[in-house]
């Protein structure tokens, strides 16, 4: 089958040719797209938030990097910013990667459930690595993502959660991981973590240590990182038959499995 992939402009943040951190157990090329609809005060990549900051480049540039790396990688992971914001460019590059027999993953904030659905429908997406930042309570979600006017935010993100729960159970996703990045005052209680976990049916739920020192907002930069032992306690409080593994992710120790369902 010949595959025709049209090139187009893309606002690109960065490309990491080989990464073992972005999809557990896989070596991937990671592409960072610019642009994000959220403004989380603790964002670690504020330089990628404005969609059209910097000069656009051509999707051919990314495709050339994938071609160079294809023999050394299992797949391509799209990150950002929010990679599903530049949807046409995502599809163009993903179609090329799939044409080479590579896997495709998206690290997404869940703002675009219908785009996740379309990609899976078109066999352009194998893994979702979903950031869920707060329980399904609109006010809490708006506090976490820093966009007070967007009432639909929590509904969109939890729409993505429910969609991915279903897609994974139907075998239409090869891997589905949910991450919550924890800071003091942001999803740092067992009640909040429990309320998020209750919504999930996934391969892994990761309680991730937030890094205040690189946060966008000064108020967050004044905080200290929550220690690993406290994150482990939060992770141990998760009791769900629908989550295969609960993990803690820290800078010092990487991923540690706290509980696993056989
Ligand atoms: S942390 Fe928030 S603002 Fe930053 S890229 Fe992720 S979703 Fe966007």
């Amino acid at each position: 089958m010949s595959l025709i992939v049209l090139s187009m402009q893309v606002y690109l943040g960065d490309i990491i040719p080989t990464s073992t951190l972005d999809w557990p157990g896989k070596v991937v090329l990671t592409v960072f797209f610019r642009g994000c609809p959220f403004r989380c005060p603790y964002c670690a990549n504020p330089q990628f938030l404005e969609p059209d900051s910097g000069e656009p480049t051509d999707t051919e540039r990314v495709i050339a990097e994938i071609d160079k790396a294809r023999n050394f990688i299992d797949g391509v992971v799209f990150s950002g910013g929010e990679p599903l914001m530049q949807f046409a460019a995502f599809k163009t590059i993903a179609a090329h990667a799939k044409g080479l027999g590579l896997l495709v993953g998206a690290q997404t904030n869940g703002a675009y459930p219908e785009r996740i659905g379309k990609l899976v429908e078109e066999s352009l997406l194998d893994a979702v690595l979903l950031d869920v930042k707060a329980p399904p309570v609109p006010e809490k979600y708006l506090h976490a993502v820093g966009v007070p006017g967007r009432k639909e935010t929590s509904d969109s993100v939890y729409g993505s959660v429910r969609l991915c729960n279903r897609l994974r159970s139907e075998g239409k996703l090869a891997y589905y991981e949910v991450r919550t990045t924890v800071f003091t005052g942001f999803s740092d209680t067992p009640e909040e973590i429990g309320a998020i976990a209750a919504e999930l049916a996934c391969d892994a739920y990761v309680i991730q240590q937030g890094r205040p020192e690189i946060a966008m907002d000064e108020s967050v930069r004044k905080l200290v990182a929550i220690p690993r032992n406290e994150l482990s306690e939060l992770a141990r409080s998760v009791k769900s038959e629908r989550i295969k593994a609960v993990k803690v992710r820290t800078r010092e120790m990487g991923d540690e499995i706290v509980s696993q369902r056989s």
Side-chain angles (χ1 to χ4, degrees):
M1 183 183 76
S2 71
L3 188 68
I4 299 168
V5 178
L6 301 173
S7 70
M8 63 184 61
Q9 285 199 329
V10 59
Y11 290 94
L12 197 63
D14 204 356
I15 299 174
I16 298 178
T18 51
S19 163
T20 54
L21 300 176
D22 292 310
W23 182 342
K26 304 281 182 214
V27 181
V28 297
L29 177 143
T30 306
V31 186
F32 293 84
F33 278 11
R34 290 180 188 271
C36 181
F38 296 164
R39 290 294 177 271
C40 311
Y42 45 78
C43 182
N45 286 328
Q47 72 278 22
F48 295 157
L49 296 190
E50 290 303 327
D52 52 1
S53 56
E55 288 299 310
T57 185
D58 200 276
T59 47
E60 280 301 325
R61 188 184 144 212
V62 184
I63 283 171
E65 291 292 329
I66 294 171
D67 288 348
K68 262 197 268 169
R70 61 186 287 190
N71 294 327
F72 313 105
I73 56 175
D74 301 304
V76 175
V77 166
F78 292 79
S79 186
E82 168 48 48
L84 297 179
M85 212 170 171
Q86 297 185 70
F87 193 47
F90 186 116
K91 285 179 72 173
T92 297
I93 298 166
H96 183 80
K98 294 299 291 180
L100 296 176
L102 295 169
L103 296 165
V104 172
Q107 283 182 359
T108 173
N109 61 27
Y112 301 105
E114 70 294 341
R115 296 184 186 185
I116 295 173
K118 277 203 179 86
L119 290 169
V120 172
E121 223 169 81
E122 294 176 30
S123 303
L124 292 176
L125 190 64
D126 303 289
V128 173
L129 309 144
L130 181 62
D131 278 329
V132 177
K133 297 164 188 297
V137 177
E139 301 71 39
K140 277 189 188 282
Y141 224 96
L142 295 176
H143 169 64
V145 300
V147 283
R150 298 172 65 102
K151 292 279 179 238
E152 76 288 2
T153 300
S154 172
D155 289 348
S156 301
V157 175
Y158 278 91
S160 292
V161 166
R162 284 188 291 276
L163 173 67
C164 293
N165 289 350
R166 179 173 62 74
L167 292 170
R168 183 66 183 103
S169 77
E170 292 171 354
K172 293 177 180 163
L173 283 174
Y175 184 66
Y176 170 33
E177 175 178 300
V178 177
R179 298 112 177 240
T180 299
T181 308
V182 179
F183 293 84
T184 303
F186 295 95
S187 297
D188 61 341
T189 66
E191 293 72 27
E192 287 169 303
I193 292 294
I196 297 170
E199 301 289 326
L200 310 177
C202 55
D203 293 289
Y205 180 37
V206 182
I207 309 295
Q208 195 160 257
Q209 187 178 43
R211 296 182 56 199
E213 74 278 9
I214 55 169
M216 171 163 72
D217 199 288
E218 204 191 330
S219 63
V220 180
R221 285 201 299 276
K222 288 181 183 149
L223 302 174
V224 287
I226 297 185
R228 174 171 155 250
N229 63 325
E230 289 182 28
L231 297 173
S232 300
E233 254 174 62
L234 276 180
R236 273 194 293 274
S237 74
V238 173
K239 309 279 179 230
S240 170
E241 286 298 306
R242 303 196 306 155
I243 299 174
K244 287 189 190 154
V246 182
K247 300 181 184 180
V248 163
R249 184 170 292 158
T250 59
R251 240 166 103 73
E252 49 176 331
M253 298 299 288
D255 278 15
E256 298 172 278
I257 295 174
V258 172
S259 64
Q260 200 161 21
R261 218 190 51 186
S262 51

